[in-house]
Amino acid sequence: MKPVPFLDLKSPYIELRDELDAAYRRVMESGWYILGEEATAFEKEFAEHCGAKFCVGVGNGLEALHLILRAYGIGEGDEVIVPTNTYIATWLAVSYAGAKPVPVEPIEREYNIDPNRIEAAITPRTKAILPVHLYGLAADVDPILSLAERFNLKVVEDAAQAQGAQYKGRSAGNLCHAAGFSFYPGKNLGALGDAGAAMTNDEALADKARTLRNYGSKVKYYNEAKGYNSRLDEMQAAFLRVKLKRLDEWNARRARIASFYLEALSDVEDLTLPALPNWSSPVWHIFPVRHPRRDELQAHLKANGVDTLIHYPVPPHLSGAYADMGYSRGAFPIAEAIADSELSLPMGPHLGEGDAERVVEVIQSFRPKTRSKS
Ligand SMILES: *Cc1c(COP(=O)(O)O)cnc(C)c1O
């Protein structure tokens, strides 16, 4: 039988081949390859999609978050609250800015930062909170915004996994003071290379981010700040304009697969399915399950031709990158328990007919060798 891939990145190109090829030719023939009409048009179209005022295209998602923090003047001596359960880029953005990431544990079933644990982590040095909409499910941002107001903090969304997600009817990326997006090829809105964007309704912030992405200059060769080279290139912007038109439809395909998994896997023993808080409308960047015998389950799926991944096997606080912070195992037990038991099932708008059924059948046929202790 044909293997079930974790994510198929070629089929999106095949489905959109004519439009993507036309976009390619348009850019090639324009003679303009960095920060031109395509980037400007994409920024406008994506801001509209999120209902926000300003979008600033940058090189990738990490840079989007980093430039926002820099544009807020956050740096050396400052602290930024981050989730323990996230991709390491969230923490790295804070470190790049020169500030200190201060980790906070998630709500276990929702995987996102627990608003009730944030206040205890706030100190006089705290400048911002960086919630992540992990796996495509929006974090519970309203209580976070109330805290931010009380303590005069900025809230920056890491929306890298949440293009099109909704929270109480509002769009991810337009929920807080600013947001960073990634358009890495595997994201729900994926470029055909690296790309990212900052989103905000704050004109002054957008203006600063726009300057910082381009060597700190508004006018060529006049540099008002020590900026970076992190620009959205024309080719990726042109591709993203094509793919943005399909975002809602492709997210709906993901949602149909997620509904099928939720229903079909609901009575599998020891398997924990993702929670669906009533305020959320997730876009299923990842479909996460948990199992006490995760490694055995993953091997069983692999043996039956189903590819899965783990998001993420090592939480940032235990990674070599943050060894200098001195955390050891046990420091953040919820994130560690998630890392030890999470498994991401095949998911995407091009998951083949019958593939989701195969995944379910293989999971149902799993018989662990040892019973779980829990
Ligand atoms: C992908 C991702 C990023 C970083 O995006 P890049 O474009 O790869 O730099 C940041 N945060 C999260 C949660 C991500 O998944």
Side-chain angles (χ1 to χ4, degrees), residues 60-62 65 86-87 89-90 132 134 158 160-161 182 184 187 195 312:
N60 55 62
L62 172 57
L65 295 168
T86 185
Y87 180 53
T90 317
V132 180
L134 203 67
D158 180 340
Q161 303 190 358
S182 164
Y184 180 77
K187 307 285 161 125
Y312 297 90

Side-chain angles (χ1 to χ4, degrees), residues 318-356:
L318 296 181
S319 68
Y322 284 100
D324 58 343
M325 291 185 88
Y327 291 117
S328 45
R329 196 157 244 287
F332 298 107
I334 302 178
E336 292 166 21
I338 291 171
D340 290 343
S341 60
E342 193 274 346
L343 188 67
S344 305
L345 303 185
M347 168 56 76
H350 296 86
L351 193 66
E353 188 98 352
D355 283 353

Side-chain angles (χ1 to χ4, degrees), residues 105-339:
E105 289 271 59
I107 296 175
E108 191 153 1
R109 279 292 304 282
E110 294 173 19
Y111 300 107
N112 284 322
I113 195 165
D114 184 346
N116 291 319
R117 293 174 186 262
I118 292 176
E119 186 167 348
I122 295 174
T123 75
R125 291 166 179 258
T126 309
K127 291 287 174 344
I129 306 169
L130 220 176
V132 180
H133 308 311
L134 203 67
Y135 310 143
L137 171 71
D140 189 7
V141 293
D142 278 352
I144 300 175
L145 285 165
S146 314
L147 266 179
E149 199 165 333
R150 262 176 60 211
F151 291 93
N152 193 25
L153 308 173
K154 297 295 179 196
V155 184
V156 179
E157 301 164 60
D158 180 340
Q161 303 190 358
Q163 297 92 349
Q166 302 273 310
Y167 172 81
K168 301 182 183 174
R170 287 133 60 199
S171 289
N174 190 25
L175 300 173
C176 301
H177 301 112
F181 281 97
S182 164
F183 308 119
Y184 180 77
K187 307 285 161 125
N188 290 38
L189 177 58
L192 285 93
D194 274 313
M199 184 84 72
T200 185
N201 291 313
D202 175 343
E203 187 161 17
L205 180 74
D207 194 58
K208 279 198 189 124
R210 205 165 266 132
T211 306
L212 285 173
R213 76 174 169 185
N214 192 24
Y215 288 111
S217 78
K218 271 198 201 70
V219 178
K220 206 174 171 82
Y221 306 134
Y222 292 81
N223 301 74
E224 50 192 82
K226 288 193 190 76
Y228 306 90
N229 175 0
S230 182
R231 302 169 297 214
L232 173 61
D233 67 64
E234 286 288 279
M235 195 66 82
Q236 297 308 333
F239 294 150
L240 285 166
R241 293 180 68 195
V242 172
K243 296 187 83 180
L244 178 59
K245 289 191 216 140
R246 297 306 201 290
L247 177 62
D248 294 340
E249 184 196 326
W250 288 9
N251 279 343
R253 290 194 212 163
R254 288 174 185 267
R256 280 198 291 279
I257 295 161
S259 301
F260 173 73
Y261 279 155
L262 286 168
E263 168 81 39
L265 295 170
S266 62
D267 50 11
V268 175
E269 199 187 351
D270 285 340
L271 193 77
T272 305
L273 296 172
L276 278 179
N278 60 11
W279 37 257
S280 72
S281 178
V283 289
W284 303 107
H285 174 60
I286 298 289
F287 189 91
V289 299
R290 288 178 66 189
H291 196 286
R293 298 273 159 236
R294 188 263 318 274
D295 295 346
E296 278 179 60
L297 176 60
Q298 184 174 38
H300 172 74
L301 283 155
K302 182 79 197 157
N304 287 281
V306 176
D307 278 341
T308 56
L309 286 177
I310 296 166
H311 294 92
Y312 297 90
V314 183
H317 72 277
L318 296 181
S319 68
Y322 284 100
D324 58 343
M325 291 185 88
Y327 291 117
S328 45
R329 196 157 244 287
F332 298 107
I334 302 178
E336 292 166 21
I338 291 171

